[in-house]
Amino acid sequence: MTPPLRWLPRRRTSRPDGTGRGVRRGIRRGGRAATTAGLLAVVLGAGAGAGAAAPVAAAPDAPKHPPRHARAATPQVLPAEGRFASPPAPPAPPAPPRTPPPRRAARPVPGTNQRPPAAPDGATGPGAAPAPSGQATGTGTLILYDTTGAWGWLGEQYAMQAANLASRFGTWQARPVSSYTAGQMSAYAAVVYVGSTYDEQVPTAFLTDVLAGSRPVVWMYNNIWQLTSQAPTFPTTYGWNWSGFDTSAIGTVSYKGTDLTRYAANAAGIMNYASVDTTRATVLAEAVRGDGTRFPWALRSGNLTYIGEIPFAYADMTDRYLAVADMLFDVLAPQTAARHRGLVRVEDVGPDADPAELHAIADYLSSAQVPFSVAVYPRYVDANGTYNNGVPQDYTLASRPAVVSALKYMTQRGGTLIMHGWTHQFSNVANPYSGASADDFEFFRAHVDAQDYVVYDGPVPGDSQTWATDRMNGSAAAFTAAGLPVPTTFEFPHYAASAPDYAAARAEFPRRYDRGLYFRNQLAGGAVDHTKYGGQFFPYPVTDVHGSFVIPENIGNIEPEPFNNHPARLPAELIDAARRNLVVRDGFASMFYHPYLGVDYLRQTVEGVRALGYTFVAAGSVVAGG
């Protein structure tokens, strides 16, 4: 399967006029920019080492390297392909072995010798409604997920994504559906079940409790046939019945009058329907085939909201995933008023930054009354002299008073500094490009393969929570040495880190401002498996499974030229992403921007997003629950 196009880290190159600032060039790389020989011997050494070694002084007029990297949006690829961008989200389950799932008789109810009672008739049963019935006095969200089969690990991945979204509304608990016991959902306000494994045996107690209608339930994808079999009158009571999976190429899901994107090569299928009675069931969203024909993608009747596929698979910034993020309001906070806020983050500002560019960005944003954040790495390292004629460089903000002055100016014009790592690179290896700051990952290993894809390789050698904490402390010391306040918000370079690194960020900072990676066994327990993971962006603030409060970034950044198999992104693409994100009733259009691109692209984007009805706010104003 060919993966969809997504955005990857890359380096920056000089302007065509040779001035060395501001324009990036797309690159095709079949190998690394620097040798990896001796990696284990150097990761704890000088330069970009793991500890807080003193940087090598550089002359005030040392040559500046040109800007180098751009952050990727969330990619979705199959693990077997081994090609990941930053950060990769989970793939879809395999295609169903049978497009019409099995039909079975109802099971006996545990503790009795009787078949389950028929669901109530239409006069008293659930009917179509704008929000689910079954609201109750429990608290939090119960998230249930599948675990069996060769792809059982995906159930936990999807459950983490569901939990992250549910955290916007309060507490949550996640458990394998196989562990469910009768009446368990009564302790919660709502339930989300992610049916990722085809025909996994769902406990009869769960089926019975869902049909009792006492709690709102969101059911995703597989095993709905087990629920309908348990209620012989389900089609007449709930107003719909499934027919089988539609595996045609579907690239659009229509929700609230907005066309959201879907990776059309996703072969897992979407449930289609034998019948839908719109007097009893509300069609929330529709899948749109290439020929324009449609069928329900999600519907609701009474306490049950059913989504015909896994909405987390292959999601990106304009994806049908946004519909699910909004539907959770109906279940968990139906009284939420519409509100649309914008965020701007100025990205990759280091000791090598151009003060004039920083002044220009600050002046524009201040004049437009747009609060903004500034992501700063306070130590510049070019471990291999890639941008200095082979001569390594290592210097901090304290040795660049003009840059420090520009950062102070930015804070006076409405900016807030955040910590974007220490060096934004790792050791003296290509990770994946050059060993230079802003090119490379700092907290995760990666390389560029022969097909010009960035591949995630896992935690760096020597990784631990202590190692990550030391880097964060080294960064804090560099801010202090430059006379700048130590930021209270952290952003992982290239949005990638290991589970211990995320634990360090949670311990050291009250909030992150990025997208996250989530690893196998974080819910299930046991040793974390860094080889199976998924990434996720958020259209609103969450407290993720790492335990950190996360300020969202969800519409990406400007990329004037293509790179690493991915197309350019101009203001029109960011504005379009913001437009589609309007389907989330209390959502954000949060972007980041590299100052070497000048002011024009930024102005176009800010004006376009504002024209959609977004109000720009400071990241510091974003709090839990909204």
Side-chain angles (χ1 to χ4, degrees):
M1 180 185 295
T2 301
L5 296 175
R6 299 294 180 265
W7 317 107
L8 299 147
R10 68 178 173 120
R11 69 173 184 170
R12 299 177 284 189
T13 57
S14 60
R15 286 178 175 166
D17 64 8
T19 58
R21 304 300 302 178
V23 177
R24 300 182 202 178
R25 198 175 297 146
I27 61 173
R28 294 195 59 84
R29 300 173 61 87
R32 304 183 180 189
T35 179
T36 59
L39 169 63
L40 296 179
V42 300
V43 294
L44 298 180
V56 177
D61 59 350
K64 297 177 181 177
H65 72 278
R68 285 160 309 284
H69 110 278
R71 165 97 25 33
T74 308
Q76 319 302 331
V77 297
L78 288 173
E81 292 169 329
R83 298 168 182 170
F84 292 117
S86 171
R98 294 175 54 186
T99 51
R103 298 182 185 274
R104 301 188 177 98
R107 308 173 196 164
V109 178
T112 75
N113 293 318
Q114 303 298 318
R115 296 293 177 185
D121 62 24
T124 59
S133 60
Q135 301 289 348
T137 58
T139 59
T141 305
L142 176 62
I143 297 165
L144 301 171
Y145 60 97
D146 292 344
T147 56
T148 60
W151 292 82
W153 65 274
L154 282 174
E156 182 188 27
Q157 280 291 324
Y158 303 141
M160 286 190 282
Q161 303 240 338
N164 286 336
L165 292 181
S167 73
R168 156 64 178 80
F169 307 95
T171 60
W172 55 268
Q173 293 287 327
R175 297 185 176 91
V177 70
S178 60
S179 70
Y180 185 86
T181 57
Q184 191 173 13
M185 68 173 64
S186 64
Y188 300 89
V191 180
V192 175
Y193 166 54
V194 186
S196 60
T197 298
Y198 184 92
D199 217 25
E200 174 161 331
Q201 183 78 355
V202 178
T204 304
F206 178 59
L207 303 178
T208 303
D209 286 353
V210 172
L211 293 169
S214 66
R215 296 294 186 273
V217 176
V218 178
W219 190 303
M220 299 179 185
Y221 195 46
N222 277 322
N223 308 324
I224 191 66
W225 49 92
Q226 297 182 36
L227 181 69
T228 60
S229 295
Q230 197 67 8
T233 62
F234 186 96
T236 55
T237 302
Y238 283 83
W240 60 270
N241 198 13
W242 55 269
S243 62
F245 292 108
D246 187 318
T247 57
S248 58
I250 294 171
T252 300
V253 170
S254 179
Y255 179 63
K256 289 185 172 181
T258 297
D259 285 346
L260 303 175
T261 58
R262 179 183 184 271
Y263 179 39
N266 180 350
I270 303 173
M271 184 59 76
N272 204 343
Y273 300 86
S275 62
V276 177
D277 179 356
T278 56
T279 67
R280 295 181 179 274
T282 300
V283 176
L284 302 176
E286 293 181 306
V288 184
R289 301 184 185 92
D291 63 3
T293 58
R294 298 170 177 241
F295 63 96
W297 183 82
L299 45 73
R300 176 179 297 130
S301 183
N303 69 309
L304 180 63
T305 300
Y306 178 66
I307 299 163
E309 67 166 335
I310 302 293
F312 307 115
Y314 305 120
D316 67 12
M317 295 173 286
T318 60
D319 193 81
R320 84 287 195 218
Y321 161 80
L322 298 172
V324 173
D326 181 67
M327 289 176 193
L328 290 179
F329 284 94
D330 291 334
V331 174
L332 296 165
Q335 304 306 315
T336 303
R339 178 174 53 165
H340 302 290
R341 288 170 285 176
L343 293 172
V344 173
R345 191 177 70 224
V346 181
E347 196 78 344
D348 290 338
V349 177
D352 53 315
D354 185 332
E357 292 173 351
L358 302 183
H359 276 260
I361 295 294
D363 285 342
Y364 165 67
L365 291 173
S366 176
S367 69
Q369 298 183 318
V370 175
F372 58 96
S373 300
V374 187
V376 179
Y377 59 91
R379 179 179 172 189
Y380 173 71
V381 175
D382 181 357
N384 301 301
T386 302
Y387 302 102
N388 193 39
N389 299 316
V391 179
Q393 289 185 294
D394 187 339
Y395 55 88
T396 66
L397 280 172
S399 67
R400 294 295 184 269
V403 176
V404 173
S405 177
L407 288 172
K408 292 179 178 178
Y409 181 81
M410 296 183 91
T411 63
Q412 295 163 2
R413 305 289 280 174
T416 301
L417 306 185
I418 71 171
M419 186 183 292
H420 193 27
W422 186 14
T423 64
H424 204 315
Q425 55 80 243
F426 176 74
S427 190
N428 65 350
V429 298
N431 192 35
Y433 298 121
S434 67
S437 293
D439 274 11
D440 285 2
F441 294 79
E442 182 173 352
F443 293 86
F444 219 67
R445 289 286 283 130
H447 72 277
V448 179
D449 71 9
Q451 288 74 45
D452 199 28
Y453 287 95
V454 172
V455 179
Y456 279 24
D457 298 321
V460 300
D463 179 66
S464 69
Q465 184 171 342
T466 298
W467 174 86
T469 300
D470 286 346
R471 293 198 73 82
M472 294 169 187
N473 289 339
S475 182
F479 276 92
T480 299
L484 295 170
V486 177
T488 58
T489 300
F490 191 82
E491 176 198 352
F492 278 105
H494 289 337
Y495 291 169
S498 70
D501 302 341
Y502 283 110
R506 181 189 68 241
E508 299 296 318
F509 295 88
R511 62 189 67 84
R512 295 199 335 261
Y513 188 174
D514 54 21
R515 309 180 186 189
L517 289 176
Y518 305 96
F519 303 95
R520 184 180 185 180
N521 292 335
Q522 285 192 263
L523 294 182
V528 172
D529 181 355
H530 286 97
T531 69
K532 288 184 169 61
Y533 53 90
Q536 187 177 13
F537 72 92
F538 309 111
Y540 38 63
V542 304
T543 300
D544 72 357
V545 297
H546 295 299
S548 290
F549 177 73
V550 182
I551 300 167
E553 184 282 295
N554 63 321
I555 67 170
N557 67 298
I558 299 295
E559 286 298 341
E561 298 183 26
F563 64 94
N564 289 125
N565 295 300
H566 304 302
R569 295 189 84 225
L570 296 174
E573 281 71 42
L574 271 68
I575 295 166
D576 180 63
R579 178 185 64 81
R580 299 184 204 242
N581 271 268
L582 286 170
V583 301
V584 181
R585 70 198 66 183
D586 188 10
F588 284 76
S590 179
M591 63 173 287
F592 63 95
Y593 189 83
H594 293 92
Y596 59 81
L597 291 173
V599 171
D600 286 346
Y601 283 142
L602 180 60
R603 179 184 294 109
Q604 293 174 45
T605 308
V606 165
E607 291 178 353
V609 170
R610 180 173 269 163
L612 293 171
Y614 287 91
T615 300
F616 286 97
V617 299
S621 70
V622 180
V623 297

